[in-house]
Amino acid sequence: MFPFKNLKITLVLLVLVLVSCSLGKTPELKSNGYVITAEEDGPSEKWAEYLYRHLQKRSKDPKSIILIKGAPKPGPEGFKNIHFEVAFDLKNEYCIEHNSKRLHIRSRSEKTALWLIYELIESISAEDNRFSTPDLPPSIVKFEDGCKDFDFEYREPHFAQNLEIDQSSVFGNNNVETDWGLWGHQLFKVVQDFAKPDMFAMINGQRNPKQLCFSSQELYEGTRDYIIDNYGKGEKEGHKFMIMPNDNNLICSCHLCAEVGNTDKSATPAVADFIRKLAETFPKHQFYTTAYRTTQNAPEYQFAENSGIFFSTINLKKGIALNEDQKETKKFLEDIKKWRLTSMNMYLWDYGANFDDYLTPIPLLNGLQKQLVFFKDHHIKGIFLNGSGYDYMSFDDLKTFVASALMKDTTADVEMLIKKFYKKNYPVSGNLLGNYFINLENSFTAKNKPYNMYGSLREGVKVYLDSQQFVEFYQQLKNIIPKTQNAERQKLEKLYTALSFTRLRLAYINGPNKYGYADKVGSSLKVKPEIDTWISSLKNYVNYSDMSSYKETDGSIAAFIEEWNKIQVAPNYQNYLLDDAIAVLSEKDEGFEKTDLLNDGVPGFATDYHLGWYLNSSKNFKISFSNAQAKKGNKMRLRFLNLPSHNIIPPQKITISGNGKLIKSVSVSNSGENVSTVTINVPFQQYQNIEISFEKKNQAKSIIAVDEIQVLN
């Protein structure tokens, strides 16, 4: 029998637990109505009125929202008081006091106040169905008692959504369009309007219009006047200005630059001195440069308080946790230690994309979180996450939301954020999209391999993109679109268009294999009919102004489709070497250990060196193969890519040998087009082993990109 005394004790404990849980629970935001009040000062009253107007605009019951100006007064019974305060001397970024009757929000800045208003409106709408917020992201603020600080003071995920009008304010982010008077390499563009010869760098004794001379008094005066004319002296509003050389390795060697300390490897002294002069002239503005390329080395003196650095993370591994055992990370920490002697205003220019393929899904979020934690631990103050900018990227709306949250709180739960985002923004397809992206993130994390931010899809398949999962998701996405409507349907149709690009690339790299674009018939390849369907889907890109390009430079989708059209209308591709092995006798480049690209039957695209081309940078590029199948043909056709901007240049001569004896030596003419084709008659049946040597043109560090070694009649 259960003792009565024990029962009594148990009941008391249960009551205490229930009371404890009740006391620790965040009060509901939902109320009969809302009374908006503010501290009696201009900024507080301004944002209280802003909250009132926007709640009214989104409400089905405007009478349930009351604004009381002046000294706060009690509202109707059952209404919750929302009291707003902008306190510039607040020690934390924001503080919240919340009970069943009153919510008191204090913010240290007006920018944070605006973000908190949108967070609050979204949180109220999640509890109170009288409010509609389809245009707002899910809230990440819990509105519980306590004070919070952001992990980074400068926060910018540089994706298209953050660049939309007013969206950076909604996300609580910075924005290059509104925060900066000059950004990136804009100074070089601005200079063109007032350019004089002495403003440009002295290279090998001559002025070079591709780089600036930062010791030029005329350049300083022109920049000074530009700032005054467009942004004033900063008394009303201070702006940030990025001062950096044009994006190349040219360094001015004029006597003025040499006097301040320029060398043939570093332009830092002249750039730093230029910033010093501007910072002294405009103490209310801020001036930053980058630790990148010719300004990688720190200057030998301290910057002014209104100056700082964006340190590029381009040399760090991407997508994995960072540690000091990695040589790149060790060097990074050594460099930022030196730059800190110059300025404590240390921001990072980070990277969050595959810049050679914006449209293929790439997992960024788990890796970003790990690296943000590392950066915070090393006292980095701000992050500019260079993404696809104004170009569309698959899943960029999700990445904007999650990256924004992580820059405020690096401990946020990424998987929870993904689920929260899709639950609100994709009511029908959210589970499909969320599960796919979570699996993409988790499988990538488990491999613990960095991704190449200028990588090919072949690399992506090895590191993060599971071909089968993608093909299944692509089909499921197509099936679910007709079940959706309005904004959700529009976003899914756009995503499906982008992923049709990935489906075609996946078909391309698989050639006649599973998921490929062709069937192998003897020594020929026959294009599958479904290619038409995928191309038709991709052609919808014309409906989207931000989807004309799939990569950072030279990535025209129209040109990509045209290459597919060439494959479709060409006769069946023939190559007697389809079943033979081709050996590369010279040193192989990383990522090109296998030689299948030389005879996989897939013609290289003239617009992209990632598509079908075998790259080799060795001094003596040589290959060999037997004539087991080649003896059926009597000529050989080779194609070479010509992209000087990437240092990819056709060879100047091809030498063919058989059984160790010279057969033929042929010069390669450069037509100036993207592709040079060479056709050579070769009596293959007379030789058992064939060796081909490619002689490079006299250019340092050039790369040869060769397509199929094609043997035919």
Side-chain angles (χ1 to χ4, degrees):
M1 184 172 163
F2 193 84
F4 177 75
K5 183 178 179 181
N6 288 345
L7 175 62
K8 189 174 182 180
I9 292 172
T10 302
L11 289 172
V12 170
L13 288 174
L14 179 61
V15 169
L16 289 174
V17 169
L18 291 173
V19 170
S20 175
C21 291
S22 174
L23 290 174
K25 185 179 179 182
T26 302
E28 289 184 352
L29 285 167
K30 185 178 181 180
S31 178
N32 293 339
Y34 306 89
V35 175
I36 313 299
T37 60
E39 291 292 296
E40 295 183 72
D41 60 74
S44 299
E45 292 172 346
K46 167 187 171 182
W47 293 112
E49 289 182 23
Y50 188 92
L51 171 62
Y52 168 73
R53 291 197 309 272
H54 280 262
L55 276 174
Q56 285 257 320
K57 185 173 69 173
R58 297 166 184 275
S59 177
K60 299 175 185 175
D61 182 16
K63 293 182 180 179
S64 66
I65 308 153
I66 300 171
L67 175 67
I68 296 179
K69 296 183 179 182
K73 300 174 184 176
E77 185 66 26
F79 278 46
K80 173 162 284 192
N81 173 217
I82 300 174
H83 187 72
F84 223 84
E85 178 182 355
V86 178
F88 298 114
D89 59 348
L90 190 66
K91 291 182 179 180
N92 302 97
E93 194 63 45
Y94 66 91
C95 291
I96 291 171
E97 297 174 23
H98 192 185
N99 58 45
S100 59
K101 294 184 178 180
R102 190 172 190 263
L103 171 64
H104 185 181
I105 300 174
R106 288 184 292 162
S107 167
R108 187 165 59 189
S109 71
E110 294 189 62
K111 183 175 182 178
T112 299
L114 176 57
W115 171 69
L116 284 168
I117 285 171
Y118 286 119
E119 290 287 300
L120 177 61
I121 293 171
E122 167 60 22
S123 294
I124 290 174
S125 76
E127 297 182 23
D128 191 335
N129 59 16
R130 290 174 296 176
F131 297 88
S132 178
T133 58
D135 58 323
L136 296 183
S139 175
I140 60 173
V141 175
K142 294 181 180 179
F143 291 98
E144 59 189 11
D145 287 352
C147 295
K148 298 287 184 181
D149 284 309
F150 298 143
D151 285 344
F152 298 99
E153 67 180 37
Y154 187 94
R155 306 173 301 277
E156 181 169 1
H158 192 57
F159 299 110
Q161 190 171 17
N162 193 65
L163 290 164
E164 292 177 9
I165 296 175
D166 297 330
Q167 282 299 296
S168 55
S169 298
V170 171
F171 285 107
N173 294 332
N174 293 91
N175 185 334
V176 295
E177 295 295 341
T178 56
D179 293 349
W180 292 81
L182 290 172
W183 174 257
H185 305 287
Q186 284 182 334
L187 177 61
F188 187 82
K189 297 176 182 177
V190 165
V191 164
Q192 309 309 314
D193 292 336
F194 53 81
K196 296 179 181 179
D198 286 352
M199 295 182 182
F200 295 105
M202 183 75 74
I203 309 294
N204 297 325
Q206 294 184 337
R207 294 291 175 183
N208 190 315
K210 294 182 179 179
Q211 189 54 274
L212 297 172
C213 171
F214 286 93
S215 295
S216 165
Q217 181 65 19
E218 291 177 326
L219 178 63
Y220 163 73
E221 292 173 356
T223 305
R224 178 199 63 197
D225 294 345
Y226 171 83
I227 293 172
I228 292 173
D229 292 345
N230 291 277
Y231 301 97
K233 294 184 178 180
E235 283 88 351
K236 293 183 178 179
E237 180 183 8
H239 282 80
K240 296 181 175 70
F241 297 88
M242 179 75 76
I243 305 298
M244 60 187 297
N246 201 19
D247 196 7
N248 56 47
N249 292 321
L250 298 175
I251 298 173
C252 184
S253 60
C254 75
H255 72 282
L256 292 174
C257 286
E259 284 177 6
V260 295
N262 269 21
T263 68
D264 60 350
K265 295 184 190 266
S266 177
T268 298
V271 173
D273 193 55
F274 190 80
I275 287 176
R276 177 190 61 78
K277 289 187 284 188
L278 288 174
E280 289 176 356
T281 304
F282 301 106
K284 301 293 185 180
H285 289 315
Q286 298 177 48
F287 298 89
Y288 285 76
T289 191
T290 57
Y292 175 65
R293 296 189 81 155
T294 60
T295 53
Q296 188 70 40
N297 297 330
E300 296 180 356
Y301 58 85
Q302 198 167 31
F303 278 174
E305 288 186 6
N306 61 328
S307 304
I309 309 102
F310 269 89
F311 196 98
S312 171
T313 67
I314 195 166
N315 293 321
L316 294 180
K317 294 180 183 297
K318 305 302 173 190
I320 62 171
L322 300 174
N323 61 71
E324 295 186 33
D325 293 333
Q326 299 155 346
K327 63 178 182 179
E328 302 92 347
T329 307
K330 185 176 181 181
K331 178 69 164 58
F332 166 80
L333 292 175
E334 290 172 353
D335 287 344
I336 63 172
K337 184 178 180 180
K338 294 174 184 176
W339 274 99
R340 278 214 173 88
L341 298 175
T342 298
S343 175
M344 291 302 293
N345 296 325
M346 175 73 69
Y347 297 167
L348 293 187
W349 186 308
D350 201 18
Y351 303 85
N354 177 352
F355 295 95
D356 273 347
D357 184 354
Y358 290 148
L359 302 184
T360 295
I362 182 171
L364 298 171
L365 304 177
N366 287 343
L368 175 64
Q369 181 176 43
K370 292 175 182 177
Q371 297 204 353
L372 289 177
V373 169
F374 182 85
F375 297 147
K376 178 191 173 186
D377 288 344
H378 286 85
H379 312 294
I380 299 299
K381 290 187 174 182
I383 305 289
F384 170 75
L385 184 66
N386 191 13
S388 56
Y390 292 98
D391 290 318
Y392 178 76
M393 174 191 278
S394 297
F395 299 97
D396 62 356
D397 53 351
L398 169 71
K399 292 170 184 174
T400 301
F401 170 68
V402 177
S404 301
L406 290 175
M407 288 180 187
K408 296 179 185 70
D409 178 7
T410 57
T411 67
D413 186 326
V414 170
E415 187 167 321
M416 182 275 292
L417 289 170
I418 293 173
K419 290 178 178 177
K420 196 172 187 180
F421 175 82
Y422 280 119
K423 182 178 180 181
K424 176 176 184 187
N425 293 285
Y426 295 82
V428 176
S429 61
N431 284 338
L432 172 65
L433 297 172
N435 289 338
Y436 175 73
F437 205 85
I438 288 169
N439 288 334
L440 185 71
E441 287 280 347
N442 291 342
S443 61
F444 172 59
T445 302
K447 290 180 180 177
N448 196 32
K449 293 181 179 180
Y451 69 82
N452 184 352
M453 64 181 189
Y454 288 95
S456 68
L457 187 59
R458 287 176 177 269
E459 294 175 88
V461 167
K462 291 178 183 177
V463 177
Y464 55 82
L465 190 77
D466 183 287
S467 298
Q468 180 178 336
Q469 288 181 1
F470 173 80
V471 170
E472 291 174 355
F473 172 69
Y474 179 71
Q475 185 59 48
Q476 291 167 345
L477 181 61
K478 181 180 180 181
N479 295 340
I480 206 170
I481 288 175
K483 302 175 184 177
T484 62
Q485 55 186 345
N486 302 328
E488 181 177 11
R489 181 162 187 161
Q490 293 170 10
K491 288 184 286 189
L492 292 183
E493 287 174 342
K494 187 174 186 179
L495 177 62
Y496 186 76
T497 299
L499 296 187
S500 296
F501 171 82
T502 302
R503 185 63 189 93
L504 284 164
R505 286 193 77 158
L506 194 62
Y508 179 84
I509 68 171
N510 282 287
N513 303 312
K514 188 177 182 182
Y515 309 125
Y517 77 90
D519 293 314
K520 186 171 177 290
V521 182
S523 60
S524 298
L525 295 184
K526 185 178 181 181
V527 178
K528 293 178 181 178
E530 50 261 48
I531 291 298
D532 272 333
T533 304
W534 302 333
I535 291 175
S536 294
S537 296
L538 180 58
K539 284 181 178 177
N540 289 325
Y541 83 90
V542 298
N543 297 323
Y544 310 107
S545 60
D546 55 355
M547 206 190 289
S548 61
S549 181
Y550 64 86
K551 63 176 182 174
E552 188 176 39
T553 57
D554 301 326
S556 165
I557 291 182
F560 177 81
I561 292 173
E562 182 57 33
E563 291 289 331
W564 272 108
N565 291 338
K566 291 177 184 177
I567 291 177
Q568 288 184 295
V569 300
N572 287 350
Y573 179 87
Q574 182 188 57
N575 189 355
Y576 288 123
L577 291 182
L578 280 177
D579 295 318
D580 273 8
I582 295 180
V584 173
L585 306 179
S586 48
E587 187 176 347
K588 299 172 184 175
D589 286 24
E590 184 179 356
F592 293 89
E593 292 79 11
K594 292 183 178 181
T595 62
D596 54 315
L597 286 171
L598 292 170
N599 63 332
D600 61 358
V602 182
F605 279 23
T607 55
D608 194 330
Y609 65 87
H610 283 315
L611 293 171
W613 301 95
Y614 184 86
L615 306 184
N616 190 280
S617 59
S618 64
K619 292 182 179 179
N620 302 297
F621 180 25
K622 293 182 181 180
I623 66 171
S624 68
F625 55 87
S626 75
N627 77 339
Q629 298 297 324
K631 63 186 177 183
K632 297 177 184 178
N634 54 31
K635 62 182 175 183
M636 180 169 57
R637 181 177 296 148
L638 304 98
R639 297 169 75 235
F640 300 97
L641 194 57
N642 181 34
L643 291 177
S645 60
H646 294 283
N647 219 19
I648 296 174
I649 302 169
Q652 64 179 1
K653 189 164 67 173
I654 302 169
T655 301
I656 305 168
S657 302
N659 298 344
K661 296 180 181 180
L662 177 66
I663 300 174
K664 196 169 287 188
S665 183
V666 179
S667 296
V668 179
S669 62
N670 189 346
S671 63
E673 298 179 353
N674 280 21
V675 175
S676 296
T677 302
V678 181
T679 302
I680 309 168
N681 293 322
V682 182
F684 289 108
Q685 64 278 6
Q686 297 179 22
Y687 304 94
Q688 290 184 338
N689 297 297
I690 304 296
E691 184 176 302
I692 307 174
S693 298
F694 304 92
E695 183 179 328
K696 279 189 173 184
K697 293 188 176 177
N698 188 21
Q699 184 159 338
K701 298 182 180 180
S702 64
I703 301 168
I704 292 175
V706 60
D707 195 6
E708 298 292 286
I709 308 300
Q710 186 179 3
V711 175
L712 63 165
N713 291 319

